[in-house]
Amino acid sequence: MNDYPKFAVIGGGSWATAIVKMLSENMPEIAWYMRNEAAIEEIKVNYHNPNYLSSVEFDIDKLRLTNDINEAISYADFIVFAVPSAFLSSEMEKVNVSLEGKIIISAIKGIIPETSLIVGEHFHQVYNIPYENIAVITGPCHAEEVALERLSYLTIACGDEKNAKIIGECLNSHYIKTKLTDDIVGTEYAAMLKNIYAIACGMAHGLGYGDNFQALLMSNAIREMKKFIKKVHRMKRNINNSAYLGDLLVTGYSLFSRNRMFGNMIGKGYTVKSAQMEMNMVAEGYYATKSAFELNKQYGAKTPIINAVYDILYNGKDPKKVFKKLTEKLD
């Protein structure tokens, strides 16, 4: 097969590892860039990523492993970015090859701090990538369940239906189902916002609130998400679809959710810094909270949950007092 689409995955974390696993089910070769040279050598010798999803065994003959981002980008037609949003700009500073004609796929669930843009908008405005060459991969899907090959669903958002179908076909397998949408902006904002709400859900759990309140919190969160996204990008969308509500629920409730875990630690009394150090993973919702709060100054959506999380994380407010006030604003 000489005409298969060539994919590169940028990132060495759990979601990048899961995407490489998914692509490996269908592709004869995938370029995989990660900064960590020791991890690359470990994969070459033992066929596992030593730091993330170490239970996944790779067919090493299918991987073009490199710590040179330009080599990976030059190789590929479709480039999947799966690094934390806070680190995308520093990675892109290393790029000195052309992105012209490349299909840029965001698997990043956050806002770029330097530009306050979601990833698709960032690539369009900063790197002049046309929107038809930009796609987004969203859940509901946890990397840990991909590793276990538990049935999972992905949504592929892309303005070009042909590209969306190619991406979907390359990710599909007996345990991965994909659906397509053209709501690039809406799905990206939903993927960013659900991490904030997952932190709120974790905080509630850490503070001792039960399942009844957390259900109410998630019910209010999906309505708040709808108001926020509608202000940013008005189009016909069903907020109850899996890319919005489904992704919110799995991130808010799952024990695999690092954002829920982070919020739970804050609710139990950890400082932000101590929680981040103990997790040793990036909770995207921490950065997203500040970006969403600042962005909403422009749009003016009613966002009591985002505001509460912001007060706790960035203004140092007491979680117990903030949540007591929040309970009076929810219905």
Side-chain angles (χ1 to χ4, degrees):
M1 183 179 180
N2 296 319
D3 58 349
Y4 66 88
K6 293 182 178 179
F7 275 77
V9 177
I10 310 299
S14 57
W15 192 220
T17 304
I19 291 170
V20 173
K21 173 179 168 58
M22 288 186 270
L23 290 171
S24 295
E25 302 287 352
N26 301 305
M27 311 298 292
E29 187 175 59
I30 306 108
W32 189 2
Y33 161 79
M34 61 178 75
R35 293 180 301 168
N36 191 329
E37 290 185 57
I40 290 175
E41 292 307 311
E42 179 79 15
I43 296 169
K44 288 179 178 177
V45 174
N46 295 316
Y47 318 132
H48 302 276
N49 185 340
N51 302 314
Y52 301 94
L53 306 186
S54 56
S55 64
V56 175
E57 184 171 329
F58 290 101
D59 179 350
I60 198 67
D61 293 332
K62 289 188 172 186
L63 303 181
R64 290 175 63 110
L65 291 157
T66 179
N67 66 342
D68 181 352
I69 193 171
N70 291 294
E71 180 183 339
I73 290 174
S74 296
Y75 164 84
D77 308 306
F78 293 77
I79 305 162
V80 184
F81 285 88
V83 297
S85 58
F87 305 144
L88 179 64
S89 291
S90 60
E91 289 295 344
M92 288 303 296
E93 286 175 1
K94 304 172 187 175
V95 176
N96 54 35
V97 295
S98 175
L99 295 174
E100 187 175 354
K102 307 284 186 181
I103 309 303
I104 304 299
I105 305 168
S106 169
I108 300 171
K109 293 157 183 163
I111 283 182
I112 310 305
E114 292 82 0
T115 59
S116 297
L117 298 170
I118 53 175
V119 181
E121 292 175 333
H122 180 80
F123 272 104
H124 178 68
Q125 293 189 25
V126 177
Y127 299 99
N128 299 314
I129 307 295
Y131 275 118
E132 59 266 27
N133 286 358
I134 295 172
V136 179
I137 299 174
T138 63
C141 188
H142 278 305
E144 291 81 0
E145 293 205 351
V146 172
L148 296 168
E149 298 192 1
R150 291 179 177 169
L151 183 61
S152 302
Y153 289 74
L154 295 174
T155 299
I156 312 299
C158 186
D160 185 292
E161 188 176 357
K162 181 183 175 183
N163 287 331
K165 285 182 177 178
I166 291 171
I167 297 165
E169 288 168 1
C170 292
L171 291 168
N172 274 329
S173 68
H174 69 278
Y175 59 91
I176 298 293
K177 308 295 182 188
T178 58
K179 64 176 292 185
L180 310 180
T181 179
D182 61 354
D183 186 15
I184 300 173
V185 175
T187 52
E188 270 215 273
Y189 271 104
M192 177 270 289
L193 292 168
K194 54 98 176 180
N195 287 332
I196 304 172
Y197 300 130
I199 290 176
C201 199
M203 286 176 172
H205 184 267
L207 287 165
Y209 289 90
D211 292 344
N212 293 341
F213 175 75
Q214 289 179 71
L216 177 77
L217 183 64
M218 289 293 99
S219 174
N220 279 263
I222 192 64
R223 283 178 276 157
E224 185 172 301
M225 178 189 287
K226 181 179 181 179
K227 292 172 186 174
F228 189 104
I229 297 175
K230 191 175 181 180
K231 289 276 189 180
V232 175
H233 181 59
R234 183 183 290 271
M235 69 171 281
K236 186 177 181 181
R237 63 173 63 87
N238 184 352
I239 202 72
N240 295 320
N241 280 348
S242 58
Y244 315 97
L245 178 58
D247 209 6
L248 169 66
L249 293 177
V250 75
T251 310
Y253 289 135
S254 175
L255 297 178
F256 289 129
S257 170
R258 65 188 66 179
N259 289 284
R260 177 188 166 89
M261 185 191 308
F262 176 71
N264 185 51
M265 294 169 77
I266 300 296
K268 287 182 179 296
Y270 283 72
T271 65
V272 169
K273 191 170 184 179
S274 61
Q276 289 173 326
M277 288 176 66
E278 185 158 326
M279 282 181 62
N280 197 30
M281 292 188 295
V282 175
E284 285 276 18
Y286 171 72
Y287 302 102
T289 299
K290 185 175 183 180
S291 297
F293 182 84
E294 293 295 334
L295 189 64
N296 196 42
K297 290 179 180 178
Q298 174 184 343
Y299 293 109
K302 289 185 178 180
T303 56
I305 302 173
I306 292 173
N307 297 348
V309 175
Y310 180 86
D311 272 344
I312 294 166
L313 296 183
Y314 288 93
N315 291 333
K317 298 287 183 68
D318 180 358
K320 194 174 291 185
K321 292 180 179 178
V322 171
F323 263 76
K324 186 175 181 182
K325 289 182 180 178
L326 179 62
T327 61
E328 298 167 1
K329 299 176 183 177
L330 304 181
D331 55 43

